Amino acid sequence: MEGIHYHNVDGAVSYEGIPASNAFGMTVAGDSLLGRKYLSFNDQWTQVNERIDAWREEALAAAGENPVSGYNFAAVGLEREINRLEAVRMQYFQPLVCGYYDTPEDLEQAVARLEQAGLAAYIEEIERQLGAYMGTVQ
């Protein structure tokens, strides 16, 4: 709502003077999820984005080659678990991420549902495949 969650300043979204608790209430999402190309920027945010890009490039250069960059997970035989895990993500974790639920009990319930959906088998297969890949790469 304009004036509560944002201000319209010359056709651009502004959060100036808006309490932090209200700043994202209109979408339950941060600006990065809205598609920045649709929002007007001022010079301050352009400079911040340029610095972030430079830091990202420095970190990538310093990190070197990723030892598992050629690894590709094959989900064959895990379709049932993957479908169940995705259903749990949508039913329990999506509301947590969006702030609809936020108690420790909500998180515990979501994690328990992941375990019931087959998370252990999924992780076990990833570890098995990754171990096999690492054994062949070196």
Side-chain angles (χ1 to χ4, degrees):
M1 232 178 191
E2 186 174 356
I4 295 174
H5 299 109
Y6 70 97
H7 294 294
N8 182 342
V9 179
D10 298 324
V13 173
S14 169
Y15 300 109
E16 189 172 326
I18 300 294
S21 60
N22 290 348
F24 301 109
M26 67 175 190
T27 62
V28 192
D31 288 348
S32 62
L33 297 177
L34 293 174
R36 291 185 183 264
K37 65 182 178 183
Y38 299 111
L39 299 174
S40 296
F41 281 104
N42 62 30
D43 288 338
Q44 175 189 1
W45 291 114
T46 300
Q47 292 170 10
V48 168
N49 284 331
E50 288 171 356
R51 278 187 285 181
I52 289 171
D53 290 342
W55 291 335
R56 182 180 296 115
E57 292 302 319
E58 289 173 20
L60 288 171
E65 186 177 339
N66 183 345
V68 294
S69 63
Y71 168 71
N72 290 308
F73 177 63
V76 177
L78 291 174
E79 293 85 358
R80 183 177 177 192
E81 287 83 358
I82 290 171
N83 288 335
R84 287 180 172 181
L85 291 169
E86 178 62 15
V88 170
R89 184 184 75 82
M90 292 302 295
Q91 183 177 357
Y92 293 94
F93 283 91
Q94 194 73 6
L96 281 168
V97 170
C98 292
Y100 292 119
Y101 308 114
D102 64 356
T103 68
E105 294 80 18
D106 294 325
L107 179 59
E108 289 171 13
Q109 182 182 22
V111 170
R113 297 287 192 236
L114 282 177
E115 292 169 354
Q116 292 169 3
L119 181 62
Y122 182 75
I123 291 172
E124 183 178 306
E125 183 59 18
I126 291 172
E127 289 175 343
R128 185 192 69 74
Q129 289 182 28
L130 187 56
Y133 174 81
M134 293 303 291
T136 61
V137 170
Q138 300 171 358

